Amino acid sequence: MGTLKDTLTTDMRTALKARDEVTTSTLRMALAAVGNAEVAGDTKRELSDEEVLAVLTKEAKKRREAAVAFADAGRADQAAKETAEGDVLARYLPKQLSDAELTDLVAGALAGGGFSGMGQMGPAMKAAQAAVAGRAEGGRVAAEVRRQLAG
């Protein structure tokens, strides 16, 4: 099938031919973000699928935050545009965990590492993030780790 970046490029071309403006512009933006990540640092390099996924996750989060900000400012048209872009990016992201699934995964990671108390928040977060593997936002994971360590 190729890499995730190849899939994004192919889908962008398909959307361009279909004159799907939202998908085309969103995928162009995503590919530009991937390109920027590739040239960041000392030397240009190809990103792995996991790294491309991290870039897409960050871009999707930006769209969600912008949609909320525009909605709060009474700019429904701009909020709808940001939401539509977020929906396009969501097609390429892994399915997000439910609250119950997140609770179970975090509990397993904390028990497996023997973490207890807020003093171990850093190592506990690292273990929890590894268990979650990008299927939940960092803020949600951190809140759940905090809740379980405090309890």
Side-chain angles (χ1 to χ4, degrees):
M1 164 108 193
T3 65
L4 181 55
K5 184 179 173 186
D6 294 338
T7 303
L8 291 171
T9 304
T10 303
D11 289 355
M12 185 200 59
R13 287 185 183 135
T14 303
L16 188 63
K17 289 176 185 171
R19 299 193 189 286
D20 181 348
E21 292 178 24
V22 173
T23 303
T24 302
S25 67
T26 303
L27 293 180
R28 268 193 182 134
M29 170 275 309
L31 286 166
V34 169
N36 288 340
E38 287 178 335
V39 297
D42 295 338
T43 58
K44 183 179 186 326
R45 63 189 181 89
E46 279 291 316
L47 296 183
S48 68
D49 278 355
E50 291 79 27
E51 292 168 317
V52 172
L53 204 54
V55 170
L56 293 180
T57 301
K58 191 178 351 175
E59 292 298 321
K61 182 179 179 188
K62 285 181 191 176
R63 298 300 161 281
R64 276 193 305 280
E65 290 172 352
V68 169
F70 282 126
D72 290 348
R75 298 188 52 197
D77 56 332
Q78 197 66 29
K81 178 181 180 279
E82 295 290 340
T83 301
E85 289 179 356
D87 292 344
V88 169
L89 292 173
R91 296 180 209 160
Y92 301 94
L93 299 174
K95 183 180 171 291
Q96 295 292 294
L97 295 171
S98 69
D99 289 340
E101 292 170 324
L102 179 60
T103 300
D104 292 345
L105 277 174
V106 169
L110 295 182
F115 301 111
S116 62
M118 292 303 287
Q120 294 183 318
M121 180 70 181
M125 265 304 290
K126 190 170 186 173
Q129 286 286 36
V132 170
R135 294 176 291 163
E137 268 187 34
R140 282 182 65 208
V141 176
E144 184 59 31
V145 168
R146 251 186 238 103
R147 188 185 70 74
Q148 289 189 25
L149 285 176

